[in-house]
């Protein structure tokens, strides 16, 4: 079964909108795990506009499933990850002012930098993943950095699927086959939803984990978060 890691950034956004502690991010993380999710993902950004660095620290003793911290590996982020020591760190090349992640790494151009960062995380026994486009060359470049896994950036697939173009998954299948050949674990995320997740999972060989936040929280407004988490789990079997 592909594991479901729930990104709780949107819960933090809602909390921060009023300046208090409602909804309680820590309780939501605990509840999501109790509902069956196999992981919690956060993506703190330098301006802390949703997830705060202190959230990352306070979540550590409460996340008994997989704890995944995503972000651009600037020094402040690296220091946070080394302090918290999550299960996994996912390296994402987003700009400080990015609304959301919008591109994968050029793993060839950034090989030396990524290798240095990944070596440091692995020295502390933190599993590493690189956010990449569905491009075989970038998959091969990721392998050369020493990363444990890749995370396929799935926005393009989701957009094409919404247009009825199921061949939009083809590049992802090719990338996954290459990753399997290179013994790289495969994660995926961005714009995956209840509408497209089963088709994606069924077509990607050895998909280990998906990280889903925006769609899952939006769907939960109508259907309830307990129900939605279990709907995803059914589709990921």
């Amino acid at each position: 079964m592909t594991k479901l890691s729930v990104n709780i950034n949107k819960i933090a956004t809602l909390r921060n909108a009023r300046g208090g502690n409602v909804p309680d991010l820590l309780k939501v993380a605990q509840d999501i795990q109790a509902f069956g999710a196999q992981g919690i993902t956060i993506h703190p950004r330098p301006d802390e506009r949703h997830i705060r660095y202190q959230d990352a620290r306070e979540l550590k003793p409460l996340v008994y499933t997989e704890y995944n911290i995503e972000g651009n590996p600037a020094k402040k982020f690296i220091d946070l990850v080394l302090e918290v020591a999550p299960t996994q760190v996912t390296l994402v090349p987003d700009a400080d002012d990015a609304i959301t992640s919008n591109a994968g790494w050029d793993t060839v151009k950034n090989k030396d930098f990524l290798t240095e960062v990944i070596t440091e995380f692995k020295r502390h026994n933190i599993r590493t993943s690189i956010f990449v486009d569905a491009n075989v060359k970038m998959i091969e470049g990721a392998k050369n950095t020493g990363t444990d896994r890749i995370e396929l950036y799935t926005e393009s697939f989701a957009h094409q699927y919404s247009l009825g173009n199921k061949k939009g998954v083809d590049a992802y299948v090719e990338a996954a086959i290459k990753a399997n050949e290179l013994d790289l674990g495969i994660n995926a995320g961005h714009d995956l939803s209840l509408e497209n997740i089963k088709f994606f999972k069924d077509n990607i060989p050895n998909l280990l984990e998906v990280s889903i936040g925006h769609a899952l929280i939006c769907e939960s407004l109508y259907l309830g978060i307990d129900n939605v988490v279990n709907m995803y789990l059914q589709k990921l079997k």
Side-chain angles (χ1 to χ4, degrees):
M1 178 177 177
T2 301
K3 289 184 177 180
L4 171 66
S5 185
V6 177
N7 185 317
I8 57 174
N9 277 25
K10 286 296 183 293
I11 302 298
T13 300
L14 187 59
R15 174 199 63 188
N16 295 354
R18 290 291 294 267
N21 194 41
V22 177
D24 185 333
L25 185 83
L26 304 182
K27 185 178 188 306
V28 171
Q30 291 174 290
D31 288 342
I32 287 171
Q33 293 173 98
F35 298 153
Q38 296 110 335
I40 296 293
T41 291
I42 60 170
H43 189 144
R45 286 185 165 83
D47 61 6
E48 300 185 84
R49 64 181 180 269
H50 34 61
I51 291 292
R52 300 167 183 155
Y53 275 46
Q54 187 58 29
D55 292 330
R57 299 181 180 99
E58 293 178 357
L59 282 164
K60 177 60 189 292
L62 303 178
V63 179
Y64 56 84
T65 57
E66 291 197 352
Y67 189 14
N68 176 46
I69 302 182
E70 301 179 341
N72 195 322
K75 185 180 186 305
K76 184 179 179 183
F77 177 83
I78 292 172
D79 289 345
L80 175 73
V81 173
L82 293 177
E83 175 190 347
V84 173
T87 314
Q88 175 176 268
V89 58
T90 301
L91 308 181
V92 183
D94 51 358
D96 289 354
D97 60 351
I99 295 175
T100 186
S101 305
N102 54 23
W105 283 96
D106 183 332
T107 57
V108 176
K109 181 179 178 180
N110 295 285
K111 176 191 172 186
D112 291 344
F113 171 68
L114 289 169
T115 300
E116 180 181 354
V117 173
I118 286 166
T119 298
E120 181 66 8
F121 286 138
K122 292 180 75 172
R123 193 168 68 85
H124 289 80
N125 298 313
I126 301 170
R127 189 173 73 219
T128 57
S129 180
I130 299 178
F131 195 63
V132 292
D133 297 313
N135 180 309
V136 167
K137 185 178 179 181
M138 295 302 111
I139 307 300
E140 292 171 338
K143 177 64 177 180
N144 292 332
T145 68
T147 190
D148 300 300
R149 297 187 182 186
I150 55 165
E151 179 175 329
L152 293 171
Y153 171 40
T154 49
E155 180 183 22
S156 175
F157 156 74
H159 177 66
Q160 291 301 317
Y161 189 88
S162 71
L163 298 176
N165 178 20
K166 294 185 177 180
K167 287 194 173 297
V169 79
D170 290 353
Y172 294 86
V173 174
E174 184 181 3
I177 290 171
K178 176 56 67 174
N180 285 323
E181 289 175 357
L182 296 174
D183 197 29
L184 285 171
I186 304 170
N187 299 340
H190 205 94
D191 289 350
L192 295 175
S193 67
L194 283 174
E195 179 183 2
N196 60 37
I197 187 64
K198 187 177 189 306
F199 180 82
F200 186 79
K201 188 264 181 186
D202 286 348
N203 282 275
I204 302 301
N206 300 316
L207 179 62
L208 298 176
E209 175 184 299
V210 292
S211 175
I212 304 178
H214 184 79
L216 188 150
I217 299 304
C218 291
E219 291 155 349
S220 297
L221 293 176
Y222 287 91
L223 303 172
I225 195 164
D226 185 356
N227 186 36
V228 167
V229 166
N230 280 280
M231 290 170 75
Y232 273 98
L233 294 175
Q234 286 296 320
K235 291 176 182 291
L236 289 168
K237 282 184 178 178

